[in-house]
Amino acid sequence: MVAQRTVLVTGAASGIGNASARQLLAAGYQVVAVDLDADAVRASLKTSREELEPISADVSREDDCQAAADRAISRFGKIDAVLHWAAKHSTSYWSDLTAEEFNRILAVNTTGSFLIAQAAARHMLPRKFGAIVLASSTSVIAGTTGGPAGSGGPAYVASKAAIIGLVRSLARALGPSGIRVNGVSPGVTETPMIAAYSAENRAIQQGRVPLGRLAQADEIASVGGFLISDDARYINGETIIVDGGAAFG
Ligand SMILES: NC(=O)c1ccc[n+]([C@@H]2O[C@H](COP(=O)([O-])OP(=O)(O)OC[C@H]3O[C@@H](n4cnc5c(N)ncnc54)[C@H](O)[C@@H]3O)[C@@H](O)[C@H]2O)c1
């Protein structure tokens, strides 16, 4: 019998991370669900199943990431995979953006991705087995987070561009130890992250998608689920665009 897989999911209280945690629980995985507030994770998942371990952690903090990975080990004995969705949005225009905000966005989105991957990989290494998925964004292609082209969100766009390099670097370093690292680059997705987008902006974004609609959270989460599955066992170092075809439009 194949052992039940354990997956550490970040950003599990909302949007895509929440969809991931639900999908994995429904499929019988053990889920270590990380977000800033474990109570919010519990409330949003509405379950007290044995297979769920909610954890409060700020992914920009090294000790929090280490503690989350250690809790996964003490609870389930292993980490087979990581789906790292936690991130902070920033739409500040380049001329209004402060160094403080820029650094905070990089700390959460980029350094946080590295820290959670590092903490999990340390536990994966002795087993020579694991899969890690990090989240980029098609805002890297557009150069904007949804404002007029190129004007919005330099901090967020830069933080998500860095993920593509981080994925390749970690894939090269960890591949020889049987650990795959990949990325998902979602297009605009219906989650609380885009709640502040204006109706006009939303319509513009939708108009760019050949499929004629924005993504649903579970349509992005399922690609993460595929990347950590054995069906993706020869995919390594890739960041897969999931945007309904908007990027070539
Ligand atoms: N929604 C979109 O349109 C879109 C598009 C492209 C990429 N993405 C990316 O997809 C991922 C998921 O986004 P979403 O739309 O589900 O966002 P969301 O805002 O709905 O959820 C993000 C979650 O991350 C958590 N979080 C924020 N900072 C954290 C921290 N320091 N430590 C721990 N948790 C923290 C939040 O509490 C929240 O629960 C993100 O990486 C985002 O950048 C989203």
Side-chain angles (χ1 to χ4, degrees):
M1 195 182 123
V2 178
Q4 203 176 10
R5 295 244 165 120
T6 307
V7 185
L8 192 154
V9 181
T10 71
S14 177
I16 299 167
N18 189 258
S20 267
R22 285 171 189 278
Q23 287 175 359
L24 294 169
L25 286 168
Y29 288 76
Q30 292 163 332
V31 176
V32 179
V34 175
D35 209 293
L36 287 168
D37 180 359
D39 287 338
V41 172
R42 236 175 250 112
S44 64
L45 289 170
K46 295 187 186 71
T47 175
S48 55
R49 294 204 2 215
E50 273 293 296
E51 294 83 3
L52 175 67
E53 177 74 5
I55 296 178
S56 298
D58 177 343
V59 297
S60 68
R61 294 175 55 95
E62 191 173 6
D63 48 352
D64 278 17
C65 289
Q66 201 58 62
D70 290 349
R71 273 271 290 285
I73 299 300
S74 60
R75 175 72 196 271
F76 296 119
K78 62 188 171 53
I79 301 171
D80 294 297
V82 173
L83 288 173
H84 176 55
W85 300 113
K88 200 167 155 56
H89 207 212
S90 161
T91 55
S92 297
Y93 196 70
W94 70 269
S95 52
D96 301 327
L97 184 61
T98 61
E100 191 184 3
E101 181 180 350
F102 197 97
N103 287 334
R104 181 64 191 150
I105 295 299
L106 288 183
V108 173
N109 297 0
T110 309
T111 311
S113 296
F114 170 68
L115 292 173
I116 202 76
Q118 184 189 48
R122 282 185 174 134
H123 291 294
M124 291 170 170
L125 222 47
R127 297 174 64 226
K128 291 199 165 295
F129 180 81
I132 296 171
V133 172
L134 305 179
S136 183
S137 164
T138 56
S139 64
V140 172
I141 300 167
T144 179
T145 55
S151 65
Y156 180 80
V157 173
S159 75
K160 291 293 173 177
I163 299 300
I164 297 167
L166 181 62
V167 161
R168 290 178 186 167
S169 172
L170 292 176
R172 203 166 273 287
L174 297 171
S177 302
I179 301 165
R180 296 183 298 108
V181 184
N182 290 292
V184 175
S185 188
V188 182
T189 307
E190 293 281 10
T191 73
M193 185 169 274
I194 65 154
Y197 281 22
S198 67
E200 186 196 1
N201 189 22
R202 202 174 269 269
I204 292 169
Q205 299 299 334
Q206 199 161 306
R208 292 190 177 127
V209 186
L211 294 181
R213 60 182 178 80
L214 303 182
Q216 297 298 313
D218 63 340
E219 294 172 316
I220 306 298
S222 60
V223 178
F226 164 68
L227 284 172
I228 62 167
S229 76
D230 291 345
D231 287 342
R233 62 188 170 276
Y234 203 61
I235 302 179
N236 191 29
E238 285 298 323
T239 296
I240 296 183
I241 293 172
V242 190
D243 70 346
F248 66 80

